Amino acid sequence: MKMTTLVLIITAVLTALIGGLFYAYSCSVVLGLGKLSDVEYLKAMQNINREILNPVFFMSFMGTAILLPVSAFLFRGYQPAFIFLVLAALAYLIGVFGVTVAGNVPMNDALDKFDISSSTTEAIRQMRDNFENRWNFLNNIRTVFSVVSIIFVVCACIWNREV
């Protein structure tokens, strides 16, 4: 097996791992969190958003952002794998990485600064109203684009013409 094929396999695994994370949020985590009271919901999201900032998450999230373009570069002479990897990289960098950095992270940062213990019931309700639906919508966008990226990477693996 050539090094480029090994890089492609690692890229596929990381892409699938991060896609699985967003998928799990979309189809279970946010549904469970949605059943909590406003205070419980905000505390849970604050804790989740703090705990996700760990090396394992960064390895898959940033690793995918790095390895998709690297894989595309490595396969630039091998059609159609190259095209699939370029499409996977674009989908990930725009629809997952971009949405996270421009949408979810600023919302997470604002929530992190929100002092639940000294806030009124109305302020807590307002914070949840401003946060929950938009955050979930953005996460669903990340989920869809993650799945699209996974599909393209799998196609690159299947149609890998490298010898």
Side-chain angles (χ1 to χ4, degrees):
M1 177 183 310
K2 286 190 167 186
M3 183 59 71
T4 52
T5 300
L6 182 59
V7 170
L8 179 59
I9 291 168
I10 293 168
T11 300
V13 170
L14 289 180
T15 305
L17 287 172
I18 200 66
L21 173 81
F22 296 129
Y23 174 76
Y25 265 82
S26 289
C27 70
S28 66
V29 175
V30 296
L31 300 175
L33 291 173
K35 307 282 188 218
L36 299 175
S37 71
D38 293 343
V39 169
E40 292 170 325
Y41 172 84
L42 294 177
K43 284 182 179 180
M45 284 301 292
Q46 282 179 334
N47 285 320
I48 289 169
N49 290 335
R50 289 173 187 149
E51 293 303 317
I52 201 163
L53 302 176
N54 66 70
V56 174
F57 170 75
F58 282 116
M59 181 183 67
S60 56
F61 184 71
M62 296 303 294
T64 303
I66 294 166
L67 285 179
L68 281 169
V70 166
S71 292
F73 177 79
L74 292 174
F75 281 85
R76 66 194 178 281
Y78 301 98
Q79 302 294 338
F82 169 73
I83 299 299
F84 287 129
L85 290 167
V86 167
L87 293 172
L90 289 172
Y92 186 84
L93 292 173
I94 295 167
V96 180
F97 191 84
V99 167
T100 300
V101 170
N104 294 88
V105 169
M107 293 180 71
N108 294 347
D109 291 345
L111 178 61
D112 192 54
K113 293 174 186 161
F114 184 71
D115 184 4
I116 297 168
S117 62
S118 67
S119 296
T120 65
T121 303
E122 178 58 29
I124 290 168
R125 185 191 62 74
Q126 187 65 42
M127 173 55 96
R128 181 176 184 169
D129 288 346
N130 291 338
F131 183 88
E132 185 175 20
N133 289 335
R134 182 164 183 255
W135 194 96
N136 290 347
F137 175 72
L138 292 173
N139 189 67
N140 288 336
I141 291 171
R142 296 187 301 184
T143 301
V144 168
F145 277 90
S146 288
V147 170
V148 168
S149 293
I150 293 165
I151 291 167
F152 284 136
V153 173
V154 167
C155 289
C157 290
I158 291 169
W159 282 287
N160 176 5
R161 301 265 188 247
E162 182 194 37
V163 181

